[in-house]
Amino acid sequence: MSRQKLLEMTRSLIEHGAADTMELADDVVSVPVSDYTDEARYELEKEKIFKRLPLMVAPSCELPEPGCYKAMDIAGIPVLVTRQKDGTAQAFLNSCTHRGNPVAQGSGKATRFTCGYHGWTFKNDGDLLAIASPKDFGTVDKALFCLKKFPTLERAGLIWATLDPDSQLDIESYLCGYDSLLEHFGFDDWHLFDQRTISGPNWKTAYDGYLDFYHLPVLHKDTFGADFFNRANFFAWGPHQRLSAPSKFVQKTGSDEQLDLTGMDEKDWPIDALLQGVWTIFPHISIASFYGGGGRGALISQLFPGKTVSESFTTQFYVMEHEPTDDAVRQGADEQFAFLETVVAEEDYETGKRQHKALQSGLMDKVWFGRNEGGGQIFHQWVDRLIKADDAELAEIFASQNQDDQLEAAE
């Protein structure tokens, strides 16, 4: 069924490309500038979105085998993600149950974690293994002192966690069936070639850019080119969106050749043609396909809010379908990843920082999203909706969303 959905979207893109049209939102809409600049609003977004909704904490290939782990900070919450002995992924509060000190730093491989404050030791499944000087400390029930687990789901080669141990929002429900489409990338078996973290502007300013093809031939005229496309059709699954240019052409993997899909039988359409465009996972992930290194690759961008309303940081994961086996392939992948740093860090994010600084002047009260910027409109609507919802309403929103999607699929 999910492949049929990919085919359906591709047919729509071809039809709009042939007609030189695109799907347009109903109207031009405005968003208050204070949504970007107000500190109280920013703190509310961290509490109601980043500390309450499922987040993609790692691509599976970042933790390729049992014992792999990474420690990270998300909106002030210390998080530890491990690949357990049985091969499953699990996220924990990275905080010793004795006094709260983080038990792990950085990333690597370990079967156990020892707190650097008093020496309490935990297995990588979170169980308390031993405490230092137990006779002196006193008797404790180790089962009551395990690392606190976060709800965790691994699907489509990506790992999600909800940073509320008591969350009643089912992660699978939250994904609205979007994960079944992401499965077609095949990330389960891909290779993590490289990663880096870059600084950015306000998190929504940064995320707006991932939902915007309108700027591509203007801002990126020196990188993508002034003749680059600027139209996108938007497809939504709850708050998650795919945007792709309406066209019958796709780039052939590993070359500059353009394939005309109308000259091929649908059964011969390559999977990367069906996955073209940018796939966003609300509230903070963008996935875009690239071909550096002679084969299929993708840039997975993981965006988090920073310490202030003006800051964010993004970890970019460059993943490849196959691990490079020779210097030419590695060089091609290196060059592609370096090119993408220029595009995002030096063009998108530097522009966003200037934009945010101008908005903080207080002399504008609104920014605008055109009919051709439907993705941004949908994104801000969902931000507003979710920060206003209490926990019970949050679960109801996605239960209702899944029912609507099932009815639509049945029709």
Side-chain angles (χ1 to χ4, degrees):
M1 179 63 78
S2 59
R3 182 176 174 84
Q4 288 303 311
K5 183 63 177 178
L6 292 175
L7 291 170
E8 177 187 320
M9 289 187 284
T10 304
R11 294 186 202 108
S12 173
L13 292 169
I14 291 172
E15 290 171 4
H16 277 283
D20 194 26
T21 58
M22 63 182 295
E23 293 182 2
L24 297 169
D26 292 337
D27 206 348
V28 177
V29 303
S30 64
V31 171
V33 165
S34 59
D35 281 8
Y36 293 93
T37 60
D38 183 75
E39 290 279 2
R41 162 87 180 201
Y42 177 64
E43 293 300 322
L44 185 63
E45 291 166 351
K46 287 195 294 183
E47 292 296 323
K48 295 293 188 177
I49 294 179
F50 286 91
K51 296 183 181 181
R52 200 170 58 142
L53 298 180
L55 305 173
M56 199 288 283
V57 292
S60 297
C61 56
E62 190 180 11
L63 306 174
E65 56 190 33
C68 291
Y69 74 90
K70 76 166 180 177
M72 58 196 304
D73 180 274
I74 303 175
I77 297 177
V79 178
L80 172 63
V81 189
T82 72
R83 176 75 65 191
Q84 301 176 114
K85 186 177 181 180
D86 65 1
T88 60
Q90 180 61 51
F92 303 93
L93 179 66
N94 185 14
S95 184
C96 179
T97 50
H98 173 215
R99 295 280 191 86
N101 186 58
V103 299
Q105 293 81 39
S107 61
K109 196 171 182 181
T111 58
R112 61 186 62 181
F113 303 99
T114 299
C115 177
Y117 193 6
H118 295 95
W120 285 33
T121 300
F122 300 83
K123 294 193 292 185
N124 85 338
D125 64 3
D127 286 355
L128 176 60
L129 182 65
I131 67 174
S133 305
K135 291 182 180 179
D136 297 338
F137 187 85
T139 303
V140 298
D141 182 349
K142 291 180 183 176
L144 300 178
F145 286 85
C146 300
L147 295 179
K148 185 167 290 188
K149 289 184 177 182
F150 293 126
T152 306
L153 175 71
E154 187 168 18
R155 189 68 58 79
L158 305 169
I159 302 169
W160 279 270
T162 306
L163 306 188
D164 174 4
D166 302 316
S167 174
Q168 299 302 305
L169 176 58
D170 179 70
I171 299 177
E172 187 171 7
S173 175
Y174 172 75
L175 294 175
C176 302
Y178 195 52
D179 51 314
S180 67
L181 294 161
L182 296 175
E183 289 273 9
H184 288 278
F185 278 98
F187 288 145
D188 283 331
D189 302 316
W190 283 34
H191 167 72
L192 176 58
F193 176 74
D194 202 356
Q195 66 185 87
R196 60 174 167 245
T197 299
I198 59 177
S199 65
N202 170 269
W203 76 275
K204 293 198 302 296
T205 302
Y207 204 66
D208 283 343
Y210 293 111
L211 290 163
D212 175 9
F213 282 3
Y214 188 33
H215 75 281
L216 294 182
V218 181
L219 181 60
H220 303 305
K221 63 183 184 301
D222 296 325
T223 45
F224 290 150
D227 58 348
F228 209 69
F229 56 79
N230 72 348
R231 286 178 166 180
N233 282 2
F234 296 86
F235 308 92
W237 296 260
H240 319 298
Q241 298 186 68
R242 175 201 179 186
L243 59 157
S244 191
S247 175
K248 65 178 181 178
F249 294 105
V250 295
Q251 182 180 348
K252 184 177 180 180
T253 298
S255 77
D256 293 329
E257 181 184 347
Q258 295 287 311
L259 295 179
D260 182 349
L261 296 181
T262 61
M264 304 169 62
D265 191 294
E266 284 189 6
K267 66 180 176 58
D268 297 322
W269 287 353
I271 189 61
D272 46 332
L274 303 182
L275 296 170
Q276 62 181 308
V278 175
W279 297 73
T280 64
I281 308 170
F282 188 93
H284 71 133
I285 299 296
S286 164
I287 301 171
S289 297
F290 294 96
Y291 304 100
R296 290 178 66 200
L299 182 70
I300 302 177
S301 300
Q302 181 190 55
L303 169 69
F304 289 118
K307 292 183 179 180
T308 72
V309 70
S310 304
E311 302 170 315
S312 66
F313 62 94
T314 298
T315 298
Q316 297 178 321
F317 302 94
Y318 193 71
V319 299
M320 301 181 69
E321 186 176 16
H322 302 293
E323 183 175 0
T325 56
D326 60 59
D327 290 342
V329 174
R330 279 188 287 273
Q331 181 179 347
D334 275 328
E335 290 173 352
Q336 179 68 77
F337 197 38
F339 171 78
L340 294 172
E341 181 175 25
T342 298
V343 171
V344 178
E346 298 180 20
E347 295 179 350
D348 286 312
Y349 281 8
E350 284 304 312
T351 297
K353 290 175 184 178
R354 292 191 294 270
Q355 174 188 347
H356 189 80
K357 185 176 181 180
L359 294 180
Q360 286 183 308
S361 70
L363 297 177
M364 287 181 62
D365 60 352
K366 296 177 182 178
V367 295
W368 297 88
F369 289 81
R371 297 183 66 202
N372 60 335
E373 298 177 294
Q377 293 189 22
I378 292 170
F379 168 61
H380 286 275
Q381 289 165 8
W382 273 99
V383 172
D384 286 343
R385 183 180 185 185
L386 295 177
I387 64 174
K388 293 173 183 175
D390 62 27
D391 290 349
E393 291 170 332
L394 191 65
E396 291 173 2
I397 285 171
F398 289 98
S400 174
Q401 183 68 48
N402 279 279
Q403 290 174 357
D404 292 344
D405 290 342
Q406 290 169 7
L407 288 172
E408 182 180 342
E411 295 172 355

